[in-house]
Amino acid sequence: MRIVTCAMVMRPYVERNISSKSHTTIKYSMKMMSSISETIIFILLGISTLAESSRHQWNTSFVFFTILFTFIYRFLGVAWQCFLVNRYRLIRINSKEKFIMAYGGIRGAIAFSLAALLCDNIVMGSKIFFTTSIVIVMFTMFIQVNTMLGSFAISKSQ
């Protein structure tokens, strides 16, 4: 957290003191590192989905209601935060942008990583959390993202 705070505070000063070539290099290096990190997490997700069958416990109602409540609370959270932000913005966030933020959402790699770290001895439901986090990630990646790309005619490069 300290590194992130330091980077946020120092950004205006650093940007003025580096060349445009260095700025471009840093920008694309960060994009590359973020893509590599995301790829590693999703490789781990795929491996753990197929290889670690002993860590899974399926409960249809738990998975269904988790997806449902995630969906509902994501929409409520985006609507509430956009309402608060729009009070102070000159250019308002419109309904289409709110829908894209709520429906596209995050894919849950952090939730999966946290569920993978749960200890079976301490958390009795760790297997069901692990399975449900994988299902949520798969649902948001394959169902939500693909329907959003088709609905709004968004290219994958955007």
Side-chain angles (χ1 to χ4, degrees):
M1 193 65 166
R2 293 177 190 167
I3 294 173
V4 173
T5 305
C6 179
M8 288 170 46
V9 170
M10 292 179 59
R11 181 179 177 189
Y13 305 108
V14 172
E15 280 186 343
R16 293 181 189 149
N17 293 319
I18 61 172
S19 67
S20 62
K21 278 186 170 183
S22 296
H23 182 66
T24 304
T25 303
I26 292 169
K27 177 181 165 184
Y28 287 111
S29 297
M30 290 295 114
K31 283 186 178 185
M32 182 184 68
M33 287 194 307
S34 117
S35 295
I36 289 170
S37 299
E38 186 177 27
T39 302
I40 290 170
I41 288 174
F42 286 112
I43 287 172
L44 176 64
L45 175 74
I47 290 170
S48 63
T49 301
L50 300 175
E52 297 183 22
S53 60
S54 64
R55 292 202 59 190
H56 295 290
Q57 180 182 352
W58 183 261
N59 185 334
T60 304
S61 60
F62 186 79
V63 170
F64 173 75
F65 284 113
T66 301
I67 290 174
L68 178 70
F69 290 133
T70 301
F71 201 71
I72 290 169
Y73 287 115
R74 184 180 291 159
F75 271 90
L76 291 174
V78 168
W80 175 247
Q81 290 174 12
C82 286
F83 169 74
L84 292 176
V85 168
N86 278 340
R87 293 174 63 187
Y88 303 105
R89 285 179 58 113
L90 296 176
I91 301 172
R92 306 248 183 238
I93 300 171
N94 63 32
S95 298
K96 182 178 178 181
E97 292 168 337
K98 288 178 195 175
F99 181 79
I100 290 172
M101 284 190 287
Y103 191 73
I106 57 174
R107 292 187 290 261
I110 293 172
F112 164 71
S113 300
L114 292 173
L117 292 173
L118 289 176
C119 181
D120 291 338
N121 300 334
I122 298 171
V123 180
M124 296 302 172
S126 64
K127 291 181 180 181
I128 201 166
F129 290 143
F130 186 73
T131 304
T132 304
S133 68
I134 289 173
V135 171
I136 288 176
V137 170
M138 297 295 184
F139 180 80
T140 56
M141 276 180 17
F142 295 118
I143 306 297
Q144 286 185 249
V145 171
N146 286 330
T147 57
M148 187 173 68
L149 290 175
S151 299
F152 293 104
I154 300 171
S155 69
K156 291 185 180 180
S157 64
Q158 289 179 345

